[in-house]
Amino acid sequence: MKKISFFDTKPYDKEFFDEELKKYPDYKMVYHEEKLNAKTAVLAKGSDAVVAFVNDDLSADTLRKLKKRNISCVAMRCAGYNNVDINYAGEHDMHVMRVPAYSPYAVAEHAMGMLLTLNRKLHRAYNRIREYNFSLNGLTGFDLHGKTVGVIGTGKIGRVFMDICKGFGMNVIAYDPFPIVNSDIHYVSLDELFEQAHIISLHCPLTKDSRHIINGKAIKKMRDGVVILNTSRGALINSEALVEGLKDGKIRAAALDVYEEEADIFYEDNSNTIIQDDILARLISMPNVLITSHQAFLTEEALGNIAETTMKNLDQFFTGAALENEVKK
Ligand code: NAI
């Protein structure tokens, strides 16, 4: 029997993994609500592997503690792995696997949902109507048809998002340092994208090159009244610069499914605490900012695929098969 410690468990994770585990009678999942970090790594004692998620901290310190307990298999139940010290893992014979794709549609559709909500102010309309306020004042949006959307990162999610935008009759331009050859994607330089796009949507991973790809300098280059969407990783945007751009009206609106300092806040009920993060509090106070709690992936299809691929990854590790979804240095 292989014992696996599952961190940062939420009821919806357990539901889909318990269902998938029916196919794997030789595996036992131990669910922990705690996030994985150097302090909580001790909970994995006696396990053969860990399953972790986007806001777990798999820095060298945590990996060292897992390795000390003879755990060398880390199965990320997400696509991104910016929170894992891949160098340390590689140098210490630890294997890190991920779920490269579970539903690009889930994330791309959420991005479009956020854009539609923000632009047509549906979040405000919903609240007004609940108070029998049927006034339309302040709810004016703009047609998406004919507008230019700039997509940063033309991978699986970026491409689905581009298709959705084309369905709306939008003009789609894109930037990616690794453009797809022989595609019909209209690639431009990052500066051209900043200058031309009415709407900018981020669909690239967080790397040292993409960190703060949206900063004060970039915002200055953008069109007045630009709308910014981020469903990728919080640190792609310098949040202070974003607040400044929103305050002076340069940025018309922002939709954020991710936030630079989300790790201790997102996914949790903080309604009884005072948020210490003044930048986040400022963003939440703005009527033209829509924030969701890293929710873009949350569809039944995505959760089912995450459970299926994660269990397959673990099984490949334990049966000595080739690790098709291993992340390497
Ligand atoms: P992907 O790996 O298919 O595509 C990423 C694309 O970004 C690639 O084409 C790559 O060349 C490009 N890229 C790399 N560095 C770049 C840079 N500096 N500037 C512009 N483009 C760059 O990844 P996929 O599946 O499309 O996911 C994209 C991102 O979405 C993930 O890295 C993850 O951070 C985020 N994500 C967010 C979720 C959510 O629930 N909010 C769920 C799943 C993914």
Side-chain angles (χ1 to χ4, degrees), residues 102 107 152-157 175-178 203-205 210 213 231-233 257 294 296-297:
Y102 35 89
V107 182
I152 299 183
T154 57
K156 293 175 282 297
I157 297 170
Y175 165 75
D176 194 309
F178 309 100
H203 298 290
C204 60
S210 65
I213 196 166
T231 54
S232 275
R233 284 293 179 269
D257 184 52
H294 208 138
F297 73 99

Side-chain angles (χ1 to χ4, degrees), residues 6-37:
F6 193 106
F7 284 87
D8 200 9
T9 313
K10 296 287 182 279
Y12 45 84
D13 295 316
K14 193 168 176 311
E15 181 190 336
F16 283 84
F17 272 85
D18 279 349
E19 186 58 36
E20 188 64 23
L21 274 162
K22 289 179 185 162
K23 297 184 203 155
Y24 295 90
D26 296 337
Y27 292 78
K28 179 178 163 31
M29 203 64 91
V30 181
Y31 294 104
H32 304 286
E33 283 183 14
E34 290 79 359
K35 289 190 176 60
L36 177 57
N37 56 43

